[in-house]
Amino acid sequence: MSKVKYYYDSENLAYRKIKTRKRKKFGVAVLFLVASALFGFLSFIILLNTPYFETPKDRLQAREIENLKLNYAILNKKLDQANSVVDAIEERDNNVYRAYFNKKSIPDSIRNIGLPGVNRYKKLEGYNNSQLVMSTTKRIDVLNKELEIQSKSLDDILKLAEAKSDFLSAIPAIQPVRNENLKNLASGFGYRTDPFTKVKKMHEGMDFSAKTGTPVYATGDGIIERADNNASGYGNHIVIRHGFGYETLYAHLSKYNAKAGQKVNRGDIIGYVGSTGRSEAPHLHYEVHKNGKVVNPLNFYYGNISAVEYVAIAHLANQENQSLD
């Protein structure tokens, strides 16, 4: 119940009630409500924008979010660096490694193939900073895919390199008798006078004149195919199967230093110069076969002689003299 207020009427010497108009009461009430609403709105705005009203938990969470954003930014910079390295490796792979081995480069359609799945990142949606997490995760997945393709490519290159190394080791690339042990190069490849019949016929190898017992060297890596004297005219001889279509023959040996089935490397001593079989004097008859056909051994002496020595040997080998077998 509201209090009744009075005032003193001095003219009539009596107390009278103070009457409040209803309109004034309503205006005061409305003003109070408006002021209250305005105060409440301003307080809400201040609470939203003033850090002083944050709880310790809110501050901790805010710091964690900022740290998360910073870490993702650092991670993306590292991904930029990793992508640059992968791009450089891909460039060398296509234009250096594969070009060296005469292999086709990997097309961009294979290197840039998409990742499987309609939406493989759906589980990352609906969180704060989802877009940042999704984009970074996708970059990592793409990089892993590129590395997988590049790793397989480098495996192929390694196999090609190993095969290339085996091929280079197998080629008969040195003289079977060292220059310091030679008396002279008796005869080269081509038509020569037969020492017994005095008729010109095809001489399918090169004759190296040297003392009996002079070491004979394997001219390339391979397997001893035979070491016997069962072939007509060759006397004691050795045949090495090098692979890649190459075979070499060493004839008129005085004795062997290898046996059939043995693996030998370029430069190994496999026997010694002699004059067994159809031979006029101590020498080594040497042949090179490629895919079943005889070829000029002179074309393969690049492994242990100089350019000057090669010119001298070529000059002697091309003279149409008499062979020693």
Side-chain angles (χ1 to χ4, degrees):
M1 183 176 179
S2 61
K3 293 181 180 181
V4 179
K5 295 183 180 180
Y6 297 87
Y7 73 94
Y8 181 70
D9 185 355
S10 59
E11 292 181 0
N12 298 316
L13 302 174
Y15 287 95
R16 298 185 184 278
K17 288 183 179 181
I18 298 174
K19 295 182 179 180
T20 306
R21 293 180 182 180
K22 290 184 177 180
R23 175 184 279 181
K24 187 176 181 180
K25 286 183 177 180
F26 179 75
V28 171
V30 170
L31 183 60
F32 176 77
L33 290 174
V34 171
S36 298
L38 182 60
F39 177 77
F41 178 73
L42 291 174
S43 299
F44 178 73
I45 295 298
I46 293 172
L47 285 172
L48 285 179
N49 294 279
T50 304
Y52 299 106
F53 292 95
E54 288 181 341
T55 65
K57 183 177 180 181
D58 292 335
R59 289 195 294 270
L60 178 61
Q61 187 177 42
R63 283 198 299 268
E64 289 177 349
I65 291 174
E66 291 303 317
N67 286 335
L68 177 67
K69 291 180 179 179
L70 178 61
N71 287 332
Y72 269 92
I74 295 173
L75 177 59
N76 274 279
K77 286 185 178 180
K78 291 182 177 180
L79 286 174
D80 289 338
Q81 295 173 350
N83 281 327
S84 298
V85 173
V86 171
D87 289 343
I89 293 175
E90 289 177 355
E91 177 72 16
R92 288 196 296 272
D93 183 34
N94 281 339
N95 299 317
V96 179
Y97 307 144
R98 289 183 171 273
Y100 176 77
F101 293 108
N102 197 26
K103 291 292 181 179
K104 292 182 179 179
S105 61
I106 299 176
D108 291 338
S109 59
I110 298 297
R111 291 191 182 277
N112 301 328
I113 191 169
L115 297 169
V118 178
N119 187 358
R120 57 189 291 125
Y121 308 107
K122 188 174 181 62
K123 62 183 179 180
L124 299 176
E125 295 177 351
Y127 298 97
N128 292 332
N129 304 300
S130 284
Q131 193 59 41
L132 175 62
V133 176
M134 289 169 61
S135 62
T136 304
T137 303
K138 184 176 181 179
R139 290 193 67 187
I140 293 173
D141 288 346
V142 170
L143 181 61
N144 285 335
K145 186 70 174 179
E146 291 175 349
L147 288 172
E148 180 183 351
I149 293 172
Q150 187 57 55
S151 177
K152 291 180 180 178
S153 177
L154 291 177
D155 287 342
D156 292 340
I157 295 297
L158 181 61
K159 291 178 182 177
L160 290 171
E162 290 173 348
K164 189 84 170 182
S165 177
D166 292 341
F167 170 70
L168 293 175
S169 298
I171 294 176
I174 64 173
Q175 286 183 181
V177 179
R178 291 178 178 173
N179 279 335
E180 59 266 28
N181 295 327
L182 290 177
K183 288 184 178 179
N184 64 285
L185 180 66
S187 181
F189 181 87
Y191 283 91
R192 300 291 184 268
T193 301
D194 184 282
F196 298 99
T197 64
K198 306 302 181 183
V199 175
K200 281 190 176 182
K201 69 174 186 177
M202 182 63 185
H203 187 242
E204 296 185 338
M206 294 184 72
D207 291 343
F208 294 89
S209 179
K211 293 180 179 179
T212 298
T214 299
V216 174
Y217 299 91
T219 57
D221 294 359
I223 304 294
I224 302 294
E225 180 77 10
R226 60 187 298 176
D228 55 51
N229 60 357
N230 296 328
S232 176
Y234 288 130
N236 297 333
H237 69 287
I238 286 175
V239 174
I240 299 179
R241 186 179 72 252
H242 300 279
F244 304 96
Y246 287 101
E247 284 189 353
T248 50
L249 180 145
Y250 312 77
H252 311 302
L253 302 174
S254 59
K255 60 180 180 178
Y256 307 107
N257 194 49
K259 59 184 179 180
Q262 180 179 334
K263 186 180 185 305
V264 292
N265 296 318
R266 180 185 294 146
D268 288 350
I269 297 175
I270 56 173
Y272 300 91
V273 171
S275 188
T276 58
R278 192 173 183 272
S279 171
E280 189 177 61
H283 74 287
L284 173 73
H285 175 80
Y286 174 66
E287 296 180 8
V288 177
H289 296 244
K290 179 69 168 70
N291 296 326
K293 296 181 179 180
V294 291
V295 293
N296 192 344
L298 184 64
N299 298 328
F300 296 89
Y301 302 145
Y302 58 83
N304 65 342
I305 62 174
S306 66
V308 174
E309 291 172 324
Y310 179 84
V311 171
I313 290 176
H315 176 71
L316 292 173
N318 289 326
Q319 293 180 359
E320 292 189 7
N321 55 0
Q322 177 179 292
S323 66
L324 292 178
D325 49 33

